[in-house]
């Protein structure tokens, strides 16, 4: 078994590789990520082996439980809303600002919820935010993780106390209010196998601003296209993210265009039913 087609990996034994070698099928949580792990950057030493097994490799997007994530019935929200019912969303925005100690505003409200780690591109987000805040934007963050990012968020709060709100830790109810009340949800990930927050954002009429990697690429269509549901950027650079935030400002100032993007996003279906059908088809294709 200690061969390049089995357990051996760079003269050592890899049980992760063994799983990849002897499984009947391999699946990741998005089609784009299935492609990315076949590259040197995404495969981390296993890309060559994954390319050899590409015939057994597939990507099936994660789903969302719309019984829990539904702005029309969500028990965590101060007001319910559906497609085109923007008064309810406006009330959620007002409540979100209140919860973070920020005054009501007509300026765009950007948000982040998640782990404060390198994967999520928190360093890039922190570098890009000052420019947006100087233009009048508001920003709220909910999450925990690397202590250096927690400190950096605290410093951002000290610098812009009337425009930034930070809550360290995890709070399910507050996360729902963030998704409902924000205008834009920012996900500048280095890599993202699937991602769920952009799916929640779409359902809640909150425009995702995402880097075009992994599941973010698969689930968000850029606003420049007829099917646009969000704003995407490619390079993991400050200039690229600042440009995406500039585009968010432009979209926010164009009410008809913003409404159209929101409506398309809210009507997208990322329920588990679709994913379950694909998993069932995959398992059936393997035979008994």
């Amino acid at each position: 078994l200690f061969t390049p087609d089995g357990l051996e990996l760079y003269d050592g034994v890899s049980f992760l590789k063994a799983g990849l070698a002897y499984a009947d099928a391999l699946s990741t949580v998005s089609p784009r990520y299935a492609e990315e792990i076949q590259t040197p950057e995404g495969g981390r030493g296993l890309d060559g082996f994954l390319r050899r097994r590409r015939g057994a490799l597939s990507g099936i997007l994660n789903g969302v439980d719309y019984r829990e994530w539904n702005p029309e019935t969500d028990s965590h929200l101060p007001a319910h809303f559906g497609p085109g019912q923007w008064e309810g969303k406006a009330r959620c925005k007002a409540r979100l600002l209140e919860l973070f100690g920020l005054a009501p505003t007509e300026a765009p409200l950007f948000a982040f919820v998640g782990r404060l780690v390198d994967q999520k591109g928190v360093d890039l987000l922190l570098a890009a935010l000052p420019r947006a805040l100087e233009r009048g934007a508001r920003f709220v963050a909910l999450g925990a993780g690397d202590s250096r990012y927690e400190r950096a968020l605290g410093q951002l709060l000290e610098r812009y106390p009337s425009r930034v709100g930070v809550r360290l830790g995890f709070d399910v109810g507050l996360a729902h209010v963030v998704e409902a009340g924000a205008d834009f949800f920012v996900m500048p990930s280095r890599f993202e196998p699937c991602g769920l927050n952009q799916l929640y954002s779409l359902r809640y009429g909150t425009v995702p601003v995402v880097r075009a990697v992994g599941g973010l690429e698969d689930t968000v269509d850029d606003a420049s296209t007829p099917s646009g549901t969000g704003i995407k950027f490619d390079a993991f650079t400050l200039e690229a993210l600042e440009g995406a935030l500039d585009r968010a400002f432009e979209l926010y100032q164009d009410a008809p265009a913003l409404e159209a993007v929101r409506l398309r996003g809210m009507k997208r279906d990322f329920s588990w039913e679709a994913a379950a059908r694909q998993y069932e088809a995959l398992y059936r294709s393997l035979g008994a």
Side-chain angles (χ1 to χ4, degrees), residues 75-139:
S75 62
H76 298 289
L77 305 186
H80 293 141
F81 61 94
Q85 300 169 344
W86 308 127
E87 181 180 349
K89 185 168 177 63
R91 289 175 60 188
C92 289
K93 179 177 180 178
R95 177 57 176 160
L96 178 58
L97 290 166
E98 180 184 352
L99 289 171
F100 278 90
L102 301 176
T105 180
E106 295 299 320
L109 173 56
F110 294 86
F112 173 90
V113 176
R115 294 178 294 114
L116 304 177
V117 294
D118 288 343
Q119 179 208 334
K120 299 297 183 180
V122 179
D123 51 340
L124 190 62
L125 177 60
L126 287 166
L129 278 171
R131 175 172 161 174
L133 294 169
E134 293 291 345
R135 293 186 61 183
R138 303 298 190 266
F139 172 73

Side-chain angles (χ1 to χ4, degrees), residues 118-173:
D118 288 343
Q119 179 208 334
K120 299 297 183 180
V122 179
D123 51 340
L124 190 62
L125 177 60
L126 287 166
L129 278 171
R131 175 172 161 174
L133 294 169
E134 293 291 345
R135 293 186 61 183
R138 303 298 190 266
F139 172 73
V140 297
L142 170 64
D146 193 315
S147 59
R148 61 186 167 131
Y149 293 141
E150 293 184 356
R151 289 194 300 270
L153 278 172
Q155 293 166 356
L156 190 71
L157 175 60
E158 291 178 2
R159 183 177 173 187
Y160 300 99
S162 64
R163 298 184 181 183
V164 171
V166 176
R167 189 76 60 87
L168 296 179
F170 292 103
D171 183 323
V172 173

Side-chain angles (χ1 to χ4, degrees), residues 2 59 147 184 217 220 240 245:
F2 191 71
S147 59
F184 299 94
E217 166 69 2
V220 178
L245 297 180

